[in-house]
PDB file of all heavy atoms in Angstrom:
ATOM      1  N   ILE P 176      19.890  -2.688 -10.991  1.00  0.00           N
ATOM      2  CA  ILE P 176      21.142  -1.991 -11.283  1.00  0.00           C
ATOM      3  C   ILE P 176      22.314  -2.440 -10.297  1.00  0.00           C
ATOM      4  O   ILE P 176      23.409  -1.900 -10.465  1.00  0.00           O
ATOM      5  CB  ILE P 176      21.036  -0.431 -11.286  1.00  0.00           C
ATOM      6  CG1 ILE P 176      20.433   0.027  -9.964  1.00  0.00           C
ATOM      7  CG2 ILE P 176      20.063  -0.027 -12.347  1.00  0.00           C
ATOM      8  CD1 ILE P 176      20.435   1.546  -9.736  1.00  0.00           C
ATOM      9  N   GLY P 177      22.003  -3.215  -9.329  1.00  0.00           N
ATOM     10  CA  GLY P 177      23.034  -3.598  -8.428  1.00  0.00           C
ATOM     11  C   GLY P 177      22.364  -4.381  -7.241  1.00  0.00           C
ATOM     12  O   GLY P 177      21.196  -4.114  -6.890  1.00  0.00           O
ATOM     13  N   LYS P 178      23.194  -5.277  -6.627  1.00  0.00           N
ATOM     14  CA  LYS P 178      22.715  -5.952  -5.502  1.00  0.00           C
ATOM     15  C   LYS P 178      23.143  -5.295  -4.164  1.00  0.00           C
ATOM     16  O   LYS P 178      24.254  -4.966  -4.003  1.00  0.00           O
ATOM     17  CB  LYS P 178      23.346  -7.454  -5.559  1.00  0.00           C
ATOM     18  CG  LYS P 178      22.709  -8.353  -4.493  1.00  0.00           C
ATOM     19  CD  LYS P 178      23.183  -9.735  -4.660  1.00  0.00           C
ATOM     20  CE  LYS P 178      22.580 -10.589  -3.550  1.00  0.00           C
ATOM     21  NZ  LYS P 178      22.763 -11.949  -3.702  1.00  0.00           N
ATOM     22  N   ALA P 179      22.087  -5.131  -3.294  1.00  0.00           N
ATOM     23  CA  ALA P 179      22.330  -4.454  -2.029  1.00  0.00           C
ATOM     24  C   ALA P 179      23.365  -5.212  -1.253  1.00  0.00           C
ATOM     25  O   ALA P 179      23.408  -6.456  -1.286  1.00  0.00           O
ATOM     26  CB  ALA P 179      21.032  -4.309  -1.284  1.00  0.00           C
ATOM     27  N   PHE P 180      24.106  -4.541  -0.458  1.00  0.00           N
ATOM     28  CA  PHE P 180      25.208  -5.056   0.361  1.00  0.00           C
ATOM     29  C   PHE P 180      26.284  -5.727  -0.458  1.00  0.00           C
ATOM     30  O   PHE P 180      26.926  -6.574   0.045  1.00  0.00           O
ATOM     31  CB  PHE P 180      24.582  -6.013   1.467  1.00  0.00           C
ATOM     32  CG  PHE P 180      23.573  -5.304   2.335  1.00  0.00           C
ATOM     33  CD1 PHE P 180      22.224  -5.688   2.141  1.00  0.00           C
ATOM     34  CD2 PHE P 180      23.949  -4.398   3.275  1.00  0.00           C
ATOM     35  CE1 PHE P 180      21.257  -5.074   2.923  1.00  0.00           C
ATOM     36  CE2 PHE P 180      22.992  -3.735   4.076  1.00  0.00           C
ATOM     37  CZ  PHE P 180      21.661  -4.135   3.899  1.00  0.00           C
ATOM     38  N   SER P 181      26.366  -5.331  -1.690  1.00  0.00           N
ATOM     39  CA  SER P 181      27.376  -5.910  -2.558  1.00  0.00           C
ATOM     40  C   SER P 181      28.017  -4.849  -3.434  1.00  0.00           C
ATOM     41  O   SER P 181      29.249  -4.816  -3.522  1.00  0.00           O
ATOM     42  CB  SER P 181      26.669  -7.000  -3.431  1.00  0.00           C
ATOM     43  OG  SER P 181      27.595  -7.530  -4.367  1.00  0.00           O
ATOM     44  N   VAL P 182      27.225  -4.068  -4.152  1.00  0.00           N
ATOM     45  CA  VAL P 182      27.856  -3.098  -5.193  1.00  0.00           C
ATOM     46  C   VAL P 182      28.765  -2.102  -4.471  1.00  0.00           C
ATOM     47  O   VAL P 182      29.685  -1.709  -5.099  1.00  0.00           O
ATOM     48  CB  VAL P 182      26.826  -2.425  -6.011  1.00  0.00           C
ATOM     49  CG1 VAL P 182      26.130  -3.434  -6.946  1.00  0.00           C
ATOM     50  CG2 VAL P 182      25.774  -1.685  -5.198  1.00  0.00           C
ATOM     51  N   GLY P 183      28.495  -1.714  -3.237  1.00  0.00           N
ATOM     52  CA  GLY P 183      29.280  -0.737  -2.599  1.00  0.00           C
ATOM     53  C   GLY P 183      30.359  -1.312  -1.569  1.00  0.00           C
ATOM     54  O   GLY P 183      31.009  -0.530  -0.944  1.00  0.00           O
ATOM     55  N   LYS P 184      30.489  -2.593  -1.626  1.00  0.00           N
ATOM     56  CA  LYS P 184      31.292  -3.301  -0.639  1.00  0.00           C
ATOM     57  C   LYS P 184      32.729  -2.852  -0.736  1.00  0.00           C
ATOM     58  O   LYS P 184      33.431  -2.645   0.190  1.00  0.00           O
ATOM     59  CB  LYS P 184      31.219  -4.797  -0.838  1.00  0.00           C
ATOM     60  CG  LYS P 184      31.560  -5.555   0.417  1.00  0.00           C
ATOM     61  CD  LYS P 184      31.244  -7.062   0.117  1.00  0.00           C
ATOM     62  CE  LYS P 184      30.621  -7.569   1.458  1.00  0.00           C
ATOM     63  NZ  LYS P 184      30.215  -8.920   1.302  1.00  0.00           N
ATOM     64  N   ASN P 185      33.244  -2.698  -1.971  1.00  0.00           N
ATOM     65  CA  ASN P 185      34.655  -2.262  -2.115  1.00  0.00           C
ATOM     66  C   ASN P 185      34.929  -0.885  -1.809  1.00  0.00           C
ATOM     67  O   ASN P 185      36.059  -0.494  -1.684  1.00  0.00           O
ATOM     68  CB  ASN P 185      35.105  -2.594  -3.605  1.00  0.00           C
ATOM     69  CG  ASN P 185      35.081  -4.078  -3.879  1.00  0.00           C
ATOM     70  OD1 ASN P 185      35.260  -5.002  -2.961  1.00  0.00           O
ATOM     71  ND2 ASN P 185      34.904  -4.428  -5.112  1.00  0.00           N
ATOM     72  N   MET P 186      33.886  -0.025  -1.683  1.00  0.00           N
ATOM     73  CA  MET P 186      34.078   1.374  -1.353  1.00  0.00           C
ATOM     74  C   MET P 186      34.257   1.571   0.282  1.00  0.00           C
ATOM     75  O   MET P 186      34.756   2.556   0.685  1.00  0.00           O
ATOM     76  CB  MET P 186      32.869   2.185  -1.746  1.00  0.00           C
ATOM     77  CG  MET P 186      32.774   2.241  -3.303  1.00  0.00           C
ATOM     78  SD  MET P 186      31.298   3.281  -3.703  1.00  0.00           S
ATOM     79  CE  MET P 186      31.876   4.853  -3.184  1.00  0.00           C
ATOM     80  N   ALA P 187      33.804   0.547   0.982  1.00  0.00           N
ATOM     81  CA  ALA P 187      33.827   0.714   2.489  1.00  0.00           C
ATOM     82  C   ALA P 187      35.249   0.616   2.996  1.00  0.00           C
ATOM     83  O   ALA P 187      36.124  -0.101   2.547  1.00  0.00           O
ATOM     84  CB  ALA P 187      32.971  -0.387   3.071  1.00  0.00           C
TER      85      ALA P 187
END
Side-chain angles (χ1 to χ4, degrees):
I176 59 171
K178 187 171 179 172
F180 305 105
S181 177
V182 293
K184 205 173 222 176
N185 293 333
M186 295 180 68

